Amino acid sequence: MPRNHLSNSEARRVAIKAQGLHQPPSTSKRSVTAHKIGTVVRRLGIVQIDSVNVLARAHHLTLHARVGAYDPEVLHRAAYDGPQRQLFEYWGHEASLLPVETYALWRWRMDDARAGSGIYGGLVRFRKENAKFIDAVLAEIDKRGPLSAGELTDGGSSRGSWWGWSEGKRAIEWLFWAGLVSTDTRRNTFERVYDLTERVLPDAAAQSPTPNREDAQRELLRLALVASGVATEKDLRDYLRLPHSDSRARIAELVEAGDALPVSVEGWPAAYMTPNTRVPRRVVSRALLCPFDPLIWTRDRTERLFGMRFRLEIYVPAAKRIHGYYVLPFLMDEALVARVDLKADRQEGVLRVKAAHLEDDAPSETAIELAKALRRLANWLGLSDIVVERRGGLANELRKACRALQ
């Protein structure tokens, strides 16, 4: 029988299992195929892409937390392997990898972008002032095939004030928001190469019928609820970056249809679960979570679930940072027990732990389990050693635990 009340501990376990983090991942790269990567992204609905590469890019870290060691080329095949691709890029939570079968569910956002809604104001103005130029860029891609912004004949080398993007880059970004072009591949580590969307997507996705806005949003919210396990309206709205009025109306419709059940969670605002949600008795988690991991990217939800006030400090001046530049919380069973500021020092071949902080009530084995997780991460990144620097109350104990694994 469906539950109508959860303790905070139960909510944590539901959320962790829904995110596929309820058991330790594999340690063998050979067991992770493109199909498995696609399955994980379908489970999550969205994997955020981010360009910061001080450790590894966010999408790779998100997947590593769930599947363990894998060859990044496997993700490349899943996302960019022509008609066999399982994923596509678009604006989901932020810039995201999304399952190709959900493509039609995002067309309402593309229609909004064409109308100047839900898109960066600078791109809206650029479209109004440069419509002919944007149309010419689209025609060139149509004629020449996949191109990066820098390969456009008249991409424009001058820099504008808006993010320092060239004219060609802004034109392509508007076309991308509008759904007229999509990412055909990425090269030179992260450079996007664009083509017409109908040439990028598999035929089944490109030719799929377009649901109306309300139906599409309901399905996206249902998928987000499955991926979240248990969530408030604000949690679900943030997962998909929906307008408030839309998410509130669609959730009410899901409740009326019986696809979302209201549930009270200790210390939470009104929350929802799917009718078939079950509460696991325990979870056995061991995961380092990047700042853009969907389990923790909604910061007030992270605080509600785990009691951790987690903030991204990349843009905070170094002297004012509390925990560090690129900090990953460590999930052990159903708690966030520590956080570490990590850097892949590829020149020296070491994983640097710039700072290590222990959370309140963390168990005595935290340093040992965290050291094992760091060793797995270092092995995956091809780094031979782990160097734990002095900052943070966990640093000395973690250093000893890392040395004991050598």
Side-chain angles (χ1 to χ4, degrees), residues 199-345:
R199 295 200 298 234
V200 168
L201 293 177
D203 290 345
Q207 298 168 12
S208 57
T210 302
N212 64 43
R213 180 190 186 95
E214 293 77 15
D215 289 345
Q217 290 179 345
R218 275 194 299 273
E219 180 59 16
L220 287 172
L221 281 165
R222 190 189 66 77
L223 294 173
L225 185 56
V226 170
S228 301
V230 57
T232 66
E233 180 271 330
K234 183 180 178 183
D235 296 337
L236 295 171
R237 181 189 350 138
D238 183 72
Y239 205 90
L240 302 167
R241 296 293 165 89
L242 290 179
H244 177 52
S245 58
D246 287 353
S247 64
R248 186 172 52 185
R250 300 294 86 77
I251 289 172
E253 293 159 4
L254 288 172
V255 170
E256 184 177 357
D259 293 328
L261 300 181
V263 59
S264 64
V265 180
E266 177 186 350
W268 286 33
Y272 305 90
M273 296 193 310
T274 60
N276 59 350
T277 299
R278 297 293 179 264
V279 180
R281 293 183 179 180
R282 66 189 296 255
V283 291
V284 185
S285 308
R286 297 292 189 276
L288 285 159
L289 304 175
C290 83
F292 307 101
D293 191 287
L295 182 65
I296 60 170
W297 64 23
T298 303
R299 305 312 184 198
D300 63 337
R301 172 180 168 84
T302 303
E303 198 161 352
R304 270 185 278 120
L305 273 172
F306 299 104
M308 175 184 278
R309 188 178 188 275
F310 180 62
R311 298 293 183 270
L312 186 66
E313 297 185 287
I314 288 175
Y315 304 108
V316 176
K320 295 184 178 181
R321 290 177 192 140
I322 298 172
H323 296 104
Y325 179 81
Y326 200 76
V327 175
L328 284 74
F330 179 50
L331 176 66
M332 191 169 94
D333 297 333
E334 64 176 78
L336 296 177
V337 297
R339 53 184 118 190
V340 282
D341 180 18
L342 300 182
K343 178 180 179 179
D345 186 339

Side-chain angles (χ1 to χ4, degrees), residues 80-91:
Y80 309 112
D81 188 14
Q84 303 303 315
R85 75 179 73 214
Q86 301 180 57
L87 311 174
F88 74 102
E89 290 189 24
Y90 190 59
W91 292 99

Side-chain angles (χ1 to χ4, degrees), residues 24-214:
S26 168
T27 58
S28 172
K29 288 184 180 181
R30 288 177 296 180
S31 66
V32 182
T33 63
H35 176 75
K36 185 169 184 177
I37 293 293
T39 298
V40 172
V41 179
R42 289 183 194 95
R43 181 174 193 157
L44 300 177
I46 296 172
V47 169
Q48 184 174 340
I49 302 168
D50 191 79
S51 61
V52 176
N53 198 29
V54 66
L55 180 63
R57 301 199 193 277
H59 43 294
H60 289 302
L61 290 168
T62 297
L63 292 168
H64 179 263
R66 289 157 176 83
V67 304
Y70 78 98
D71 183 349
E73 180 59 29
V74 174
L75 174 59
H76 190 88
R77 290 200 301 271
Y80 309 112
D81 188 14
Q84 303 303 315
R85 75 179 73 214
Q86 301 180 57
L87 311 174
F88 74 102
E89 290 189 24
Y90 190 59
W91 292 99
H93 178 77
E94 290 287 342
S96 303
L97 287 167
L98 306 158
V100 290
E101 56 267 27
T102 68
Y103 175 77
L105 301 178
W106 296 98
R107 287 191 179 122
W108 63 271
R109 178 162 287 171
M110 299 168 191
D111 292 341
D112 280 3
R114 295 181 203 186
S117 175
I119 185 174
Y120 300 138
L123 284 181
V124 175
R125 292 190 296 274
F126 185 78
R127 171 63 181 178
K128 288 180 179 178
E129 297 167 1
N130 300 275
K132 289 184 179 180
F133 175 69
I134 292 175
D135 291 345
V137 168
L138 181 63
E140 182 173 1
I141 293 173
D142 184 13
K143 181 178 180 180
R144 294 178 58 195
L147 297 171
S148 68
E151 292 172 329
L152 295 169
T153 300
D154 191 19
S157 58
S158 62
R159 300 283 176 175
S161 60
W162 195 68
W163 282 10
W165 282 358
S166 69
E167 302 288 287
K169 173 64 173 172
R170 281 187 273 183
I172 284 187
E173 285 298 321
W174 186 91
L175 291 167
F176 182 79
W177 265 104
L180 298 172
V181 302
S182 190
T183 308
D184 179 68
T185 191
R186 285 187 182 256
R187 64 189 181 205
N188 300 329
T189 71
F190 208 59
E191 182 186 32
R192 272 179 175 167
V193 178
Y194 302 86
D195 200 359
L196 300 183
T197 298
E198 60 265 28
R199 295 200 298 234
V200 168
L201 293 177
D203 290 345
Q207 298 168 12
S208 57
T210 302
N212 64 43
R213 180 190 186 95
E214 293 77 15

